Amino acid sequence: MTLIKTKIGRRSFIRTSTLASGGLVLGFNWLASCKNKTEEEILAMPKEWFEMNSYLKIGDNGVVTITTPNPEFGQNIRTSMPMIVAEELGVDWKNVVVEQAPYHAEKYGMQFTGGSRGIMTRWEPLRMAGASARHVLIAAAAQAWQVPANEITTEDGVLYHKATEKSAGYGEMASAAAKITIPEDITLKEVKDFNIIGTSHKNVDAKSIVTGEPMFGMDYQKEGMLIAMIVHPPAFGMTLKSMDAQAAKAMSGIKDVVAIKSFKDDYEKGGFDVNAFPEIVAVVGDSTWEVLQAKKKLNIEWQQFDSYTETINGFRGTQTKNVPAGLESSTNHAAKMAELAAKPGNIVRTDGNPKAAFKNAAKIIERSYSAPFLAHNCMEPLNAFAHVKGDKAEIAAPIQIPSLIVPTIASSLGIPVENIAMEMPRMGGGFGRKAYAHYVVEAALISQKVNAPVKLVYTREDDMTNGIYRPSYHATYRAALDENNNMTALHVKAGGVPESPLFANRFPAGAIDNYMAEEWAIDSNITIGAFRAPRSNFMAGAEQSFLDEVAEASGKDPIQFRLDLLKRAKENPVGERNDYDAERYAGVLELLREKSGWSATPANVNRGISAYFCHNSYAAHVLDIRMDDGKPVVEKVVCAIDCGIVVNPDAATNMAEGAITDGIGNAFFGELPFIDGMPQKTNFHEYQMIRMTDAPKEIEVHFVENEIAPTGMGEPPFPPIFGAVANALYKATGQRHYQQPFVTEKQVVG
């Protein structure tokens, strides 16, 4: 049994439980979750709901509604999070109805989907929610039956007292249970007793998705709603100078054309207030077509802005950011990166004496790797609904972190934070892009200006050219080998535009006596942000490609080479700041070696291996590739992951498959170049995404089985696939790859 304190470190849970318990509560919007149910099933819904805490309520007929607090963008937490509550509650999954919570900081704290932290951070609160409800249901039954509570058992939503042969459904005790105070200590189930967690359950929204039910932000409709679309500067480094909207305003169906400014002059930005174009023009009208036509009639002058410095108050504290003037180009970025890579950087970590080790080396291997800017390209472009009425705002937006944009909306509108209500419709993809919710602020400002409900819709071109990209990166690795080809030192120097991707304390740091890590960065006015496993999505590919090359030079099997390093890190680690668990890392590689049949490569394919630690989890891939008329064909990927307890194996497997496929596409084709500040790709006829014919023909996903609390799952399988692709391509062609994207790479010498 695991005993946890309900009041220690769980202030939000206790506060909201106190607010919620003790009375009859009719569930908000509960019918929405029944749209996929038959008429018979809907009629079976309860007449009354009794709220146990912020996460669940029980109907008089035993049906349980579990509220999922975090936004959903395809990772299936709308299924996995309720499974955790249901497990501890001890209810039959078929009697569970799932609801999406609205934004509510008081009830749910940080409603954050990103950083692969959803399940990890909600693991204990959700278990506590289910266990505490089960506790008060037992207490209610004990009072009703006048028996000791510890003699009452539960199973599939039914309470039993064996000695008196009494039993009752949860619904029968829900009214009394809702009035019982939650105790200070709650006992959780042992992992071995789980019967919902660890078993696969289908996506609760699957039928709605495949039958086209309106559930995404883009589907949102409201009576009297107008359509708004934006026009932003054509290049990074430019801003609005003037606007003549007379012709557009005269067009049929057009209600107004307004210029908006997203931030008040004295507003201190947070880390997710990134906005490439804070001053834009918006056209508002009756229909999308009419607004699109009116955009073409606008006469707007843009001008370059001057360099400036701004203060950002984000997760890493207060930082000063320099934003240079000028119209930037990818060729200039490449030249600057090469220049800084050749100079000493900022030394972040040094172990041993790397300088002496390189001086005494019998052989030195040095390779440089680079990657371009990438656009997120979510299937659903940015959009948001807003209706501002006086000092109140009603918002509905596909958004990853509502908690961090509400203060910005309040500041920009000049209204109190508590006057903003926000629904969170399902996102059609996020990948970090929808953590930067400037489009929600824009929708709110437009609604305020035109005094009407508005849905702001970005076109694909608006979306792809608006920034918040994966940065462009560069890394140089050097390895010193002795006369027996043993690696004696490693040196990594990494940087980028406008940030460094370096993780100085990650493997192979801690496994090598002599180690140095340096970094540098180049200021830019091209806006960047989180992109599926930020920074790891580059460093994993560079590091794992380099280790493969060193293993080959050492005459060692690439998996065994990594395992030997991890053995050193486990038994006699170098330094004290190593941020990975060498035993778990090695465990994933051992599982991968077994499941991929590493010792017997199938005929006619070439194998690449790669592994990486990020977001508190470990992932490794073996990728089989063959060349067909000069084109790489991915036959199979075998994946091994240690992400702790797997809540819903189907959902976790789906996430791994998506990350692998997405990673292969970006490794092959992903690239967004710039000339004079202008993105050179604006839509999918220019920006190649992975297609069905490029996807792996087969993907196997295997999980390390343990009882460690869940860690990250959505992002960890993504970074190492870049290295697996590069290493497999080398085996297939004899050519190493150093510059992404690999399929269009021209330079082949590192």
Side-chain angles (χ1 to χ4, degrees):
M1 293 287 185
T2 301
L3 191 68
I4 60 172
K5 296 284 187 183
T6 58
K7 288 187 177 178
I8 296 177
R10 296 290 175 270
R11 292 179 183 276
S12 176
F13 175 79
I14 295 301
R15 180 169 60 247
T16 54
S17 295
T18 302
L19 287 171
S21 296
L24 171 66
V25 178
L26 292 175
F28 61 87
N29 197 32
W30 65 271
L31 277 173
S33 60
C34 303
K35 285 183 177 177
N36 293 330
K37 295 184 179 295
T38 64
E39 183 178 354
E40 200 173 66
E41 288 171 321
I42 292 174
L43 290 175
M45 296 304 287
K47 296 176 182 175
E48 293 180 320
W49 290 101
F50 301 95
E51 190 161 318
M52 300 293 114
N53 51 54
S54 301
Y55 295 99
L56 69 91
K57 51 183 177 277
I58 298 176
D60 56 5
N61 64 347
V63 172
V64 175
T65 291
I66 300 178
T67 301
T68 181
N70 290 26
E72 168 72 62
F73 64 23
Q75 73 280 46
N76 206 8
I77 54 170
R78 268 173 57 85
T79 305
S80 300
M81 286 189 171
M83 285 173 62
I84 298 171
V85 179
E87 177 68 72
E88 291 289 350
L89 179 61
V91 67
D92 192 330
W93 181 248
K94 73 173 189 248
N95 288 328
V96 171
V97 174
V98 175
E99 282 189 352
Q100 175 65 57
Y103 164 72
H104 199 304
E106 182 73 7
K107 278 189 172 184
Y108 304 110
M110 179 74 82
Q111 292 168 275
F112 178 12
T113 295
S116 294
R117 296 177 57 82
I119 293 294
M120 186 172 73
T121 56
R122 294 283 180 186
W123 175 245
E124 196 169 279
L126 291 173
R127 293 184 71 189
M128 191 187 300
S132 61
R134 178 174 173 274
H135 177 93
V136 295
L137 285 163
I138 288 175
Q143 290 177 12
W145 297 336
Q146 292 297 295
V147 300
N150 60 6
E151 294 180 2
I152 295 176
T153 60
T154 64
E155 184 176 355
D156 291 341
V158 179
L159 299 135
Y160 296 96
H161 186 251
K162 187 176 180 180
T164 60
E165 296 185 347
K166 290 183 177 179
S167 67
Y170 281 1
E172 297 174 65
M173 294 292 169
S175 176
K179 298 169 185 171
I180 295 175
T181 302
I182 296 170
E184 292 189 4
D185 298 324
I186 285 291
T187 301
L188 302 178
K189 280 186 174 181
E190 296 287 351
V191 173
K192 64 180 176 58
D193 296 327
F194 287 167
N195 54 40
I196 293 177
I197 292 173
T199 60
S200 288
H201 289 274
K202 298 298 182 188
N203 186 333
V204 296
D205 291 327
K207 185 177 179 182
S208 297
I209 293 170
V210 299
T211 57
E213 290 284 342
M215 58 194 310
F216 295 91
M218 197 67 90
D219 298 324
Y220 202 88
Q221 297 291 329
K222 198 83 170 181
E223 187 175 352
M225 182 183 81
L226 300 174
I227 297 296
M229 305 186 89
I230 62 142
V231 182
H232 67 69
F236 291 84
M238 302 192 80
T239 189
L240 179 65
K241 180 180 180 182
S242 66
M243 170 186 68
D244 178 359
Q246 193 171 2
K249 287 182 177 179
M251 294 178 70
S252 172
I254 300 303
K255 301 299 184 185
D256 207 346
V257 178
V258 297
I260 60 171
K261 185 177 178 182
S262 291
F263 304 110
K264 299 284 189 187
D265 290 338
D266 60 349
Y267 181 69
E268 183 180 62
K269 292 182 182 177
F272 287 87
D273 280 326
V274 181
N275 187 343
F277 306 115
E279 294 185 59
I280 57 175
V281 174
V283 182
V284 185
D286 291 327
S287 71
T288 303
W289 178 253
E290 289 167 324
V291 172
L292 277 170
Q293 300 314 305
K295 284 177 65 174
K296 300 174 184 176
K297 298 295 183 182
L298 292 173
N299 183 11
I300 304 175
E301 283 189 274
W302 310 100
Q303 62 184 353
Q304 293 190 42
F305 59 68
D306 297 329
S307 301
Y308 64 94
T309 299
E310 61 181 0
T311 301
I312 307 294
N313 189 6
F315 287 160
R316 299 176 185 174
T318 301
Q319 296 181 316
T320 300
K321 180 183 176 184
N322 299 316
V323 181
L327 304 177
E328 302 176 18
S329 297
S330 295
T331 52
N332 295 335
H333 287 161
K336 283 186 178 179
M337 288 199 290
E339 178 185 340
L340 286 187
K343 297 180 178 178
N346 174 39
I347 298 175
V348 182
R349 173 168 170 165
T350 302
D351 294 328
N353 191 342
K355 187 176 179 181
F358 277 100
K359 183 179 179 181
N360 298 325
K363 182 190 296 182
I364 294 176
I365 301 173
E366 177 174 334
R367 300 290 184 265
S368 292
Y369 303 82
S370 65
F373 284 92
L374 294 176
H376 294 77
N377 292 333
C378 303
M379 185 172 287
E380 176 195 36
L382 303 176
N383 66 89
F385 167 84
H387 191 188
V388 180
K389 293 181 286 187
D391 66 349
K392 291 184 170 57
E394 175 188 344
I395 307 285
I399 179 176
Q400 289 181 234
I401 322 177
S403 310
L404 298 185
I405 200 63
V406 166
T408 313
I409 297 171
S411 166
S412 299
L413 293 177
I415 66 174
V417 168
E418 57 269 22
N419 286 6
I420 297 173
M422 183 182 293
E423 293 181 48
M424 301 185 296
R426 189 183 181 93
M427 286 173 271
F431 314 115
R433 179 62 182 90
K434 288 171 183 167
Y436 304 88
H438 56 84
Y439 53 100
V440 185
V441 180
E442 292 160 3
L445 285 169
I446 295 167
S447 173
Q448 188 181 51
K449 282 223 171 189
V450 302
N451 194 28
V454 164
K455 181 163 74 175
L456 172 65
V457 177
Y458 274 48
T459 64
R460 176 60 61 190
E461 289 81 1
D462 294 334
D463 188 302
M464 196 177 291
T465 60
N466 203 277
I468 326 290
Y469 302 120
R470 196 287 296 273
S472 179
Y473 291 128
H474 185 286
T476 299
Y477 281 86
R478 292 196 304 148
L481 277 62
D482 64 17
E483 61 277 6
N484 296 316
N485 290 321
N486 297 309
M487 184 165 62
T488 57
L490 183 78
H491 176 205
V492 55
K493 188 192 300 179
V497 183
E499 69 168 13
S500 161
L502 182 69
F503 293 98
N505 299 321
R506 284 191 182 167
F507 179 79
I512 303 167
D513 286 324
N514 304 295
Y515 171 81
M516 177 181 284
E518 296 178 81
E519 65 179 0
W520 47 267
I522 298 169
D523 290 338
S524 172
N525 57 38
I526 297 174
T527 49
I528 59 102
F531 183 109
R532 202 168 197 165
R535 301 186 287 154
S536 301
N537 56 41
F538 169 70
M539 291 306 291
E543 171 202 293
Q544 292 293 306
S545 296
F546 186 69
L547 290 182
D548 218 59
E549 200 160 345
V550 176
E552 183 181 46
S554 300
K556 292 184 178 180
D557 172 84
I559 290 183
Q560 192 57 51
F561 177 73
R562 290 165 172 82
L563 287 172
D564 290 345
L565 289 170
L566 288 163
K567 184 181 180 188
R568 167 65 196 278
K570 177 186 173 186
E571 296 177 351
N572 185 22
V574 181
E576 298 178 349
R577 293 182 293 160
N578 308 318
D579 62 3
Y580 60 94
D581 183 324
E583 186 170 0
R584 291 182 70 184
Y585 205 143
V588 162
L589 280 166
E590 295 280 13
L591 179 64
L592 181 70
R593 182 159 64 179
E594 174 200 336
K595 296 298 184 183
S596 66
W598 178 251
S599 60
T601 301
N604 303 320
V605 299
N606 303 275
R607 312 194 104 175
I609 187 268
S610 178
Y612 200 66
F613 161 77
C614 70
H615 298 85
N616 303 291
S617 292
Y618 304 80
H621 308 302
V622 165
L623 182 144
D624 292 348
I625 211 168
R626 66 177 173 82
M627 302 303 290
D628 183 2
D629 195 22
K631 179 186 175 186
V633 177
V634 181
E635 291 287 341
K636 183 176 181 178
V637 177
V638 179
C639 168
I641 303 174
D642 182 351
C643 59
I645 295 168
V646 179
V647 174
N648 187 351
D650 266 4
T653 298
N654 292 342
M655 280 193 280
E657 292 171 344
I660 289 166
T661 305
D662 189 21
I664 292 171
N666 279 294
F668 279 169
F669 313 115
E671 181 181 26
L672 186 61
F674 292 83
I675 296 178
D676 294 333
M678 297 179 66
Q680 296 302 293
K681 299 179 181 181
T682 61
N683 207 324
F684 292 135
H685 67 291
E686 298 167 317
Y687 197 115
Q688 185 171 346
M689 304 289 286
I690 192 167
R691 296 167 182 159
M692 292 297 288
T693 54
D694 306 309
K697 294 181 179 179
E698 183 181 0
I699 299 176
E700 280 183 19
V701 181
H702 303 275
F703 298 99
V704 173
E705 294 183 8
N706 57 41
E707 295 190 359
I708 299 170
T711 51
M713 180 57 225
E715 288 162 284
F718 184 71
I721 197 66
F722 291 81
V725 170
N727 294 334
L729 281 172
Y730 167 65
K731 292 289 181 63
T733 64
Q735 174 182 312
R736 291 283 181 186
H737 290 259
Y738 301 101
Q739 296 177 324
Q740 296 174 24
F742 299 142
V743 169
T744 57
E745 181 183 18
K746 300 296 189 296
Q747 183 178 342
V748 296
V749 178

